[in-house]
């Protein structure tokens, strides 16, 4: 019998990552942050002295990453690198994510994870931009988490400041608008809610309220 899958999509700083992690813990589901795959690919590329300009370099970096994850004793270790959270890496990740060849190189790993999250887990939660539309179109529950751009920029600014990184609200807002546009307007697997996704605006909700709301949905949708 296949295990249930929850797909969570949405833009940067919408609260989807925090929600996905806490939901997975609560439900004893395995969790995959698929943005980290794109970030780690961008990191590999930059570490090799290359840039997001060349799609075949980006594809090679994605393939190398997939091999490293498959060979790692604990695959999560490859993706838990703090540098991956830097905005510079997020921006490069968004650029290479527009290349179909990069997406193809990363898709199977995500689908395999959703299909078989491992014996320790009761299901899988994946968060990203195209989980409900492309990676897991048959997911048992699809969520699209959003929030006003200004609120997301404020959240990101606070996060950067708490890590001692200097930034201004205006610069963060501009970066966010640019990244949203790139992710939503690309031709392949653009960020958008699946037709059957539940859309949640997190602008006025804290993490606890979001989790509570989603647990209710899970109870309605995932229990037979
Ligand atoms: O969620 P994040 O900020 O870590 O994602 C970084 C970038 O990776 C994001 O701007 C677009 C890309 N991405 C994607 O195209 N598809 C996904 N499923 C996840 C992330």
């Amino acid at each position: 019998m296949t295990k249930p899958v929850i797909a969570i999509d949405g833009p940067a700083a919408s609260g989807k990552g925090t929600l996905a992690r806490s939901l997975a813990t609560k439900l004893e589901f395995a969790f995959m942050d698929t943005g980290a795959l794109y970030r780690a690919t961008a990191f590999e590329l930059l570490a090799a002295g290359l840039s997001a300009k060349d799609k075949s370099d980006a594809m090679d970096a994605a393939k190398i990453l997939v091999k490293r994850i498959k060979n790692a004793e604990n695959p999560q270790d490859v993706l838990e690198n703090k540098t991956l959270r830097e905005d510079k890496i997020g921006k490069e990740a968004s650029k290479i994510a527009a290349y179909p060849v990069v997406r193809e190189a990363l898709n199977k790993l995500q689908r395999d994870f959703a299909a078989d999250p491992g014996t320790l887990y009761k299901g899988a939660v994946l968060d990203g931009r195209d989980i409900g539309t492309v990676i897991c179109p048959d997911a048992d529950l699809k969520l699209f988490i959003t929030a006003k751009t200004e609120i997301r920029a404020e959240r990101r600014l606070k996060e950067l400041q708490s890590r001692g990184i200097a930034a201004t609200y205006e610069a963060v807002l501009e970066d966010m608008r640019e990244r949203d546009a790139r992710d939503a307007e690309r031709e392949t697997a653009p960020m958008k809610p699946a037709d059957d996704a539940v859309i949640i605006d997190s602008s006025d909700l804290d993490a606890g309220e979001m989790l509570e709301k989603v647990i209710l949905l899970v109870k309605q949708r995932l229990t037979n």
Side-chain angles (χ1 to χ4, degrees):
M1 219 183 71
T2 56
K3 293 181 180 175
V5 174
I6 301 179
I8 306 185
D9 291 302
S14 59
K16 67 181 190 318
T18 306
L19 171 71
R21 272 175 208 277
S22 54
L23 187 64
T25 305
K26 178 106 187 159
L27 300 175
E28 296 172 47
F29 280 27
F31 164 63
M32 181 181 264
D33 166 6
T34 67
L37 298 174
Y38 290 90
R39 286 173 182 267
T41 300
F43 179 79
E44 293 275 351
L45 200 62
L46 297 183
L50 302 166
S51 82
K53 287 206 180 90
D54 187 315
K55 65 176 174 226
S56 75
D57 284 347
M59 179 188 68
D60 290 345
K63 287 185 174 166
I64 291 170
L65 175 76
V66 169
K67 269 199 197 129
R68 280 186 46 213
I69 292 177
K70 282 189 180 153
N71 293 335
E73 207 164 295
N74 180 3
Q76 207 49 40
D77 286 349
V78 181
L79 301 173
E80 291 291 345
N81 171 353
K82 275 214 177 93
T83 319
L84 297 187
R85 304 311 316 161
E86 287 178 7
D87 270 8
K88 187 178 103 192
I89 301 288
K91 197 170 183 172
E92 293 299 300
S94 164
K95 289 183 189 165
I96 57 155
Y99 296 138
V101 285
V102 169
R103 307 199 71 84
E104 273 158 34
L106 298 175
N107 282 354
K108 188 174 182 297
L109 187 79
Q110 299 170 65
R111 291 192 179 120
D112 287 351
F113 174 83
D116 181 12
T119 49
L120 294 176
Y121 300 100
K122 296 179 178 168
V125 178
L126 290 87
D127 87 340
R129 302 290 188 290
D130 64 337
I131 308 302
T133 50
V134 175
I135 302 296
C136 303
D138 298 325
D140 299 82
L141 176 63
K142 297 179 187 176
L143 304 172
F144 191 87
I145 312 298
T146 182
K148 291 188 194 85
T149 320
E150 292 75 11
I151 291 188
R152 292 190 286 115
E154 267 169 33
R155 289 177 185 163
R156 181 48 52 85
L157 181 67
K158 275 192 195 145
E159 185 198 325
L160 291 173
Q161 286 170 341
S162 74
R163 285 172 20 215
I165 299 169
T168 65
Y169 172 75
E170 288 70 27
V172 172
L173 182 65
E174 196 185 316
D175 267 10
M176 197 153 274
R177 289 204 169 117
E178 203 182 286
R179 184 135 77 95
D180 284 354
R182 199 184 301 115
D183 292 345
E185 288 163 18
R186 67 181 177 226
E187 270 175 40
T188 307
M191 166 177 72
K192 65 170 181 193
D195 291 339
D196 51 350
V198 178
I199 300 177
I200 301 177
D201 187 326
S202 74
S203 301
D204 300 316
L205 299 174
D206 67 26
E209 291 167 329
M210 284 268 284
L211 181 61
E212 222 172 275
K213 209 176 165 76
V214 171
I215 292 286
L216 276 180
L217 281 173
V218 169
K219 283 189 182 143
Q220 289 163 7
R221 307 279 182 102
L222 260 65
T223 43
N224 327 309

